[in-house]
Amino acid sequence: NTDLNLAGQELRCDFRNMQRAGVFMARNPSMMPWGVVEPVQGSAYHYEFIDSTVKIAGIYGVPLVGTVLPYADWSQTCNPVNSNCTLFTQEDYFFLNNNKTGPICSADTTYFYQFVQNLVERYDGDGVNDMPGLTLPITVWEFGNEPETPCGQYSASDYSTDLNIFKRAMKSVCPSCELINGGYAGFFPDSVFWDDVIINSHADLDGGNIHSNNGRNRYPFSFTNMLYGQAQVFQKQINLLSLNWNIWMTEWGIYCGSPGGLPTRTEEEQASLYTKLYCWSAANNITNYFYDLKGLNDSISGSAALILLGVPGDTLAAKLFF
């Protein structure tokens, strides 16, 4: 209860700022971990934190993307310890303490299917087993977060297998809900991973999803070497397969200030780059962008945020690009 109250205070502040800024949708990669909802195999589901977040989002009129991480301590018995990622200190995997990630073990696929069914049913707003007091349904779902990275520990074939489980469970209770892939982290050697996933699993997806975080910490920013290469991994297959897809960018940013000792970039320069990016993206099928909401100037995580946090006592200020 203490944790829920503290989180609720922060969430109310965040969603109030999103509402004021006109944000149309919010997303957090650690919002719906399997192991938090079902901490023990076959146990009752624990929706307390998700319910609280969905309720507050509804008060301020900001829909959520349902991002589901398919990891639970008890379900990882078939996977080795993941030495590539110190899971307990990673924001996206804070809930794991066995240092294991990877595909869903075959013995647990039924449990995962049932978990997804119940989760989607609770927040789809159809009046059947909905969250009490639900006012803003979740209609877009995302399976995993950067599954191809060392922390995700997925192969393309395993991801396609588990993606299909998710899609079938989701559609069984919410035929109108849409599914996007867990964001492509943007490392170009992994383009083969996503080529395989799109070719084999495009029927299970309703759109593409990429991340572009390089602009937070590289100078000068390059559309050709960064965004273009990432977007084309998806756009190439969209064209070849004649898919009616848009591409979402659920993590991205271009820094201003001088975080980590990088060359200084003014807010005017940052705004100019964003303006060019919108024009470029309109020609390359990228339609939806998710910013970091708030951060301190000159910090790696906050320098690309929509809202600048000042010194204590200062008011929040929207960045010039907004």
Side-chain angles (χ1 to χ4, degrees):
N1 285 335
T2 300
D3 289 343
L4 284 171
N5 287 332
L6 290 172
Q9 293 173 27
E10 183 172 356
L11 286 168
R12 284 181 176 84
C13 178
D14 286 347
F15 280 109
R16 184 164 57 247
N17 284 316
M18 290 183 215
Q19 182 190 56
R20 292 171 62 194
V23 171
F24 83 94
M25 187 171 278
R27 176 252 186 198
N28 190 304
S30 57
M31 182 182 165
M32 295 181 176
W34 184 14
V36 170
V37 179
E38 188 178 3
V40 177
Q41 185 184 57
S43 68
Y45 295 134
H46 289 264
Y47 295 114
E48 292 89 345
F49 180 74
I50 304 174
D51 280 359
S52 176
T53 305
V54 171
K55 179 180 179 180
I56 295 169
I59 290 171
Y60 292 98
V62 181
L64 294 167
V65 176
T67 302
V68 177
L69 295 185
Y71 307 125
D73 283 335
W74 56 264
S75 75
Q76 293 295 317
T77 55
C78 65
N79 294 315
V81 170
N82 186 347
S83 60
N84 295 308
C85 184
T86 308
L87 298 172
F88 196 67
T89 63
Q90 294 291 320
E91 177 186 353
D92 295 352
Y93 304 96
F94 68 92
F95 53 89
L96 283 177
N97 57 23
N98 65 11
N99 281 63
K100 292 182 179 182
T101 56
I104 299 165
C105 299
S106 58
D108 300 321
T109 55
T110 299
Y111 289 98
F112 184 69
Y113 184 95
Q114 292 171 345
F115 157 69
V116 174
Q117 268 190 323
N118 284 277
L119 185 71
V120 173
E121 183 66 270
R122 188 171 182 85
Y123 302 109
D124 65 1
D126 65 356
V128 179
N129 296 323
D130 286 346
M131 179 193 95
L134 178 69
T135 60
L136 203 57
I138 296 175
T139 60
V140 178
W141 294 84
E142 177 188 20
F143 176 59
N145 182 56
E146 301 184 353
E148 80 280 17
T149 62
C151 285
Q153 201 94 323
Y154 263 102
S155 68
S157 61
D158 286 336
Y159 183 72
S160 289
T161 297
D162 290 353
L163 183 72
N164 180 257
I165 296 171
F166 190 103
K167 179 252 187 174
R168 288 187 289 108
M170 180 192 80
K171 290 291 187 180
S172 71
V173 294
C174 184
S176 62
C177 284
E178 297 183 353
L179 178 61
I180 58 175
N181 61 279
Y184 166 32
F187 304 111
F188 291 113
D190 295 327
S191 61
V192 175
F193 177 101
W194 288 110
D195 273 340
D196 290 347
V197 169
I198 299 169
I199 290 170
N200 294 318
S201 299
H202 60 270
D204 290 336
L205 292 166
D206 298 290
N209 179 16
I210 65 175
H211 294 169
S212 183
N213 290 313
N214 290 334
R216 301 176 192 277
N217 53 22
R218 290 188 185 179
Y219 194 94
F221 184 77
S222 168
F223 290 102
T224 302
N225 295 332
M226 297 176 188
L227 277 176
Y228 184 77
Q230 290 171 253
Q232 283 304 300
V233 171
F234 278 76
Q235 191 58 44
K236 178 183 68 177
Q237 297 299 339
I238 289 172
N239 292 339
L240 288 172
L241 297 167
S242 299
L243 301 176
N244 184 26
W245 282 13
N246 293 325
I247 300 173
W248 291 32
M249 190 181 292
T250 54
E251 289 184 20
W252 76 306
I254 301 172
Y255 84 83
C256 73
S258 53
L262 290 166
T264 299
R265 176 181 287 151
T266 66
E267 283 194 48
E268 287 83 359
E269 291 173 317
Q270 180 193 41
S272 174
L273 285 169
Y274 274 127
T275 302
K276 293 176 182 178
L277 182 139
Y278 295 135
C279 296
W280 179 90
S281 297
N284 286 273
N285 203 27
I286 301 174
T287 56
N288 302 337
Y289 309 86
F290 289 70
Y291 299 91
D292 286 343
L293 179 66
K294 61 186 181 182
L296 295 171
N297 196 20
D298 281 351
S299 67
I300 292 293
S301 61
S303 61
L306 182 69
I307 298 171
L308 182 65
L309 296 174
V311 297
D314 278 3
T315 56
L316 298 171
K319 289 284 189 68
L320 179 64
F321 73 81
F322 172 69

